[in-house]
Amino acid sequence: MATILSRRLSLLICLAAIIAAALWFRINGITAHPFWLDEAYSAYAADKGFGFIFNVLPSYETHPPFYSAILSAWAGVFGNSIAAFRSLGLFAGLLLFPLCWVTANEVARALKFDSRLFALAALALLAVSPSIVYITKLVRPYALMSLAYLLGIWCVFVLARRYRETKQLEVKPWLGYLTSLALIIWLHNLGALYAVALGLTLLILVGPVSFIRNHLRSFFIGHFLVALVVLPAFLMLLDQAPTWQQSAWLRFSWGGVGLSLYTIYGLSGFGAFAISALMIGNAIFKTGKSKRLVWLGLFTLAFLPMLLSLLATVTIVPVFLSRTLAPLSVVFVLVLAAATAAPSILNRVGFLAMLLLTSIEMVAIQKLPPTENWYSAVAWLKSHMAPGDVIYAYPNEGALPLSYALRDKGITLPIRPIPGPVPANDPTGWFPTGSRGVVSLPQYRLEAIAADAQSRKTRTVWLLRLGASTYDKNDGFLNALSRTRRIIGHWNQNPIDIIGLRQSPQVTPREQAKP
């Protein structure tokens, strides 16, 4: 009895330490950084409401509107402050822990490993995983994608176990699996890659021939229903694909793949990669041939979506992006936990080394500056702007994160998005980055805006350019404004560029207009 109580006490202490670390890394500084551009897009759509989300958003957003709808509903209950918006990702990130616990137990049963050690190792690694902590703090769909993916993984392993035991297709995990497919596709346009990995892993674990032969009707009806549910999302993607393919802003280089993989799987560098590779290789060797299909299933879940995204990137359009593949880190946590639970002292030592390296990396990441320093931009603008001045945001999307940063600081400054609020509606423009929400304008339109009635009445224009080399090539709008204005201030922290231009009785030469 005393031994049982001691084991339970030890388990509770370990769980308490894991939960404390998880909460610290996820809550610490969650509102310290402003929304960056993509987060501001999410908040903007959520603030506009369901009518905008389902009628307007699909006209310019490349991803399905489901996440924005969830975020809008969440904001309706908890408010639209930066803390409220970010709390959705935090909530989803914390739900990963009980789901990871039950999933780890299922995988442990499949491998015949110590389920308690397996689950504790998985939770400990999940608590300090840099990629998971990062997406938990984002106002983007990635934390919810991780939750949907892990739900699917759990259902797949339960289905496989029950099928081995009874040769029957258990209804609840089957419905859970189908639900996870639909959810992950509706949450992101790359969700189909995760869905393929889930479906293939199910066939690997249960045996494709016997499973399809015995349950052909259920297999095809279930997946057909999923296809019907996700069809609207697929049609939205088809509508957006030509514009995205022609003008996608992403640029791919094989030289950056290694660093991206470290980021995706939450590895702190080559040392962590080498330790994890040795642990996994040793665990597979210790497991024996009878469990190789389980390892193959885990590898399919962890790596197939990444490989498919690389294939799509080199053959169709760049889609290989670290944060969109970060949910794979949840599976990699399970793989490392499986390696830890293998009967090997070497792997236990490797686990401790991985935990230490990842924790150190996580502490360092907590100290990094914001992706886009909008709070500093707001402070600079406040100290330089006078009554009657106006901020001209070109491209128009720059107004989104700036507006939220101003709101967070309780400051009101006039902003004019050029040519108008997102989504832009100017037939003369084009889409340099593949998004229909933001355009570049021809020079004659920029000249007309620089000389229109509002511009003539504005003494000082503060030109905000976000990615000037993409949208304002050759300083087209800057030169147009400079014809009757002179530069009085300049602030730049890449990619944010702000230039103050005050009306002048004399025309400033174009050469002098450039900061």
Side-chain angles (χ1 to χ4, degrees):
M1 186 67 167
T3 303
I4 295 174
L5 290 175
S6 177
R7 290 185 65 185
R8 288 181 178 176
L9 181 61
S10 299
L11 175 63
L12 289 175
I13 291 172
C14 289
L15 287 174
I18 289 169
I19 292 169
L23 287 172
W24 168 254
F25 285 129
R26 284 154 178 78
I27 295 175
N28 182 40
I30 195 170
T31 60
H33 293 173
F35 289 151
W36 61 290
L37 180 61
D38 286 13
E39 290 183 294
Y41 263 109
S42 297
Y44 176 72
D47 280 337
K48 288 288 188 179
F50 296 117
F52 181 91
I53 288 169
F54 290 107
N55 295 314
V56 179
L57 188 64
S59 69
Y60 70 88
E61 176 61 69
T62 57
H63 303 298
F66 184 54
Y67 171 72
S68 296
I70 295 174
L71 187 63
S72 185
W74 184 270
V77 176
F78 298 100
N80 66 347
S81 67
I82 187 170
F85 275 131
R86 289 217 165 115
S87 66
L88 175 58
L90 176 63
F91 179 69
L94 293 178
L95 284 181
L96 286 172
F97 283 83
L99 189 53
C100 184
W101 178 272
V102 295
T103 306
N105 276 277
E106 282 296 332
V107 179
R109 291 177 72 170
L111 290 169
K112 299 190 182 305
F113 284 169
D114 182 338
S115 60
R116 180 174 296 185
L117 176 60
F118 193 126
L120 282 175
L123 293 193
L125 291 168
L126 185 65
V128 298
S129 170
S131 52
I132 297 300
V133 172
Y134 172 67
I135 62 175
T136 296
K137 293 184 177 183
L138 286 183
V139 187
R140 296 296 287 166
Y142 313 125
L144 289 175
M145 288 173 64
S146 301
L147 197 59
Y149 197 40
L150 191 55
L151 171 66
I153 294 168
W154 176 50
C155 292
V156 162
F157 274 89
V158 172
L159 276 169
R161 175 173 59 82
R162 295 297 296 152
Y163 188 80
R164 288 193 302 270
E165 294 170 351
T166 67
K167 297 301 178 183
Q168 297 298 316
L169 190 64
E170 194 163 305
V171 174
K172 288 183 179 179
W174 176 246
L175 293 178
Y177 159 75
L178 295 175
T179 300
S180 70
L181 297 184
L183 284 175
I184 204 162
I185 293 172
W186 266 107
L187 283 168
H188 197 274
N189 61 15
L190 293 186
L193 307 185
Y194 293 87
V196 168
L198 285 170
L200 185 57
T201 300
L202 177 62
L203 294 178
I204 289 171
L205 294 180
V206 302
V209 176
S210 61
F211 182 71
I212 294 177
R213 183 179 62 236
N214 296 334
H215 301 285
L216 181 65
R217 180 180 298 177
S218 297
F219 182 85
F220 282 104
I221 289 177
H223 288 90
F224 177 72
L225 290 175
V226 170
L228 285 181
V229 170
V230 303
L231 180 60
F234 180 69
L235 293 176
M236 293 175 199
L237 176 60
L238 284 182
D239 178 61
Q240 296 287 339
T243 305
W244 178 258
Q245 187 172 7
Q246 292 169 12
S247 309
W249 62 270
L250 286 174
R251 296 294 178 266
F252 176 74
S253 169
W254 285 105
V257 169
L259 182 59
S260 294
L261 292 178
Y262 290 160
T263 303
I264 291 166
Y265 294 105
L267 296 170
S268 57
F270 181 78
F273 166 76
I275 293 171
S276 62
L278 288 173
M279 288 175 62
I280 295 166
N282 188 40
I284 294 172
F285 176 76
K286 294 283 186 180
T287 304
K289 293 182 179 180
S290 62
K291 303 302 176 186
R292 296 288 167 83
L293 287 180
V294 180
W295 285 106
L296 179 59
L298 288 172
F299 291 159
T300 300
L301 292 165
F303 302 114
L304 183 62
M306 179 271 296
L307 294 173
L308 290 176
S309 71
L310 275 174
L311 180 63
T313 293
V314 298
T315 58
I316 305 173
V317 64
V319 293
F320 181 75
L321 195 60
S322 298
R323 59 181 178 271
T324 64
L325 296 169
L328 298 179
S329 186
V330 175
V331 195
F332 194 65
V333 160
L334 292 174
V335 173
L336 287 179
T340 303
S344 169
I345 297 298
L346 179 63
N347 279 20
R348 309 291 162 80
V349 174
F351 163 74
L352 294 176
M354 285 293 296
L355 196 62
L356 177 62
L357 288 173
T358 308
S359 299
I360 293 172
E361 177 78 3
M362 197 62 251
V363 170
I365 289 174
Q366 295 274 306
K367 299 177 182 179
L368 292 176
T371 303
E372 295 170 3
N373 199 350
W374 291 101
Y375 289 157
S376 292
V378 164
W380 188 84
L381 283 167
K382 182 184 177 184
S383 67
H384 286 75
M385 289 183 67
D389 292 358
V390 178
I391 301 166
Y392 277 31
Y394 181 67
N396 59 345
E397 65 182 6
L400 300 181
L402 177 62
S403 296
Y404 282 105
L406 287 167
R407 184 204 64 178
D408 295 343
K409 296 300 182 181
I411 299 170
T412 301
L413 295 175
I415 305 174
R416 181 185 179 185
I418 304 297
V422 172
N425 184 20
D426 194 304
T428 67
W430 62 95
F431 313 112
T433 60
S435 170
R436 295 177 183 173
V438 55
V439 301
S440 277
L441 298 175
Q443 190 63 33
Y444 79 90
R445 282 286 291 123
L446 297 174
E447 299 281 354
I449 293 170
D452 67 13
Q454 181 176 351
S455 297
R456 290 196 302 271
K457 288 189 290 186
T458 303
R459 185 186 180 209
T460 304
V461 167
W462 298 88
L463 176 60
L464 165 62
R465 303 190 298 177
L466 191 61
S469 61
T470 300
Y471 286 97
D472 196 21
K473 287 184 178 180
N474 302 316
D475 295 330
F477 196 34
L478 175 60
N479 290 334
L481 289 168
S482 299
R483 298 195 187 284
T484 57
R485 299 171 182 272
R486 58 186 176 86
I487 293 175
I488 62 166
H490 185 207
W491 186 90
N492 177 272
Q493 282 193 17
N494 191 52
I496 308 169
D497 188 52
I498 304 172
I499 304 167
L501 298 116
R502 180 166 295 165
Q503 285 182 347
S504 174
Q506 295 183 356
V507 176
T508 303
R510 294 177 66 169
E511 291 77 9
Q512 295 179 9
K514 297 181 180 180

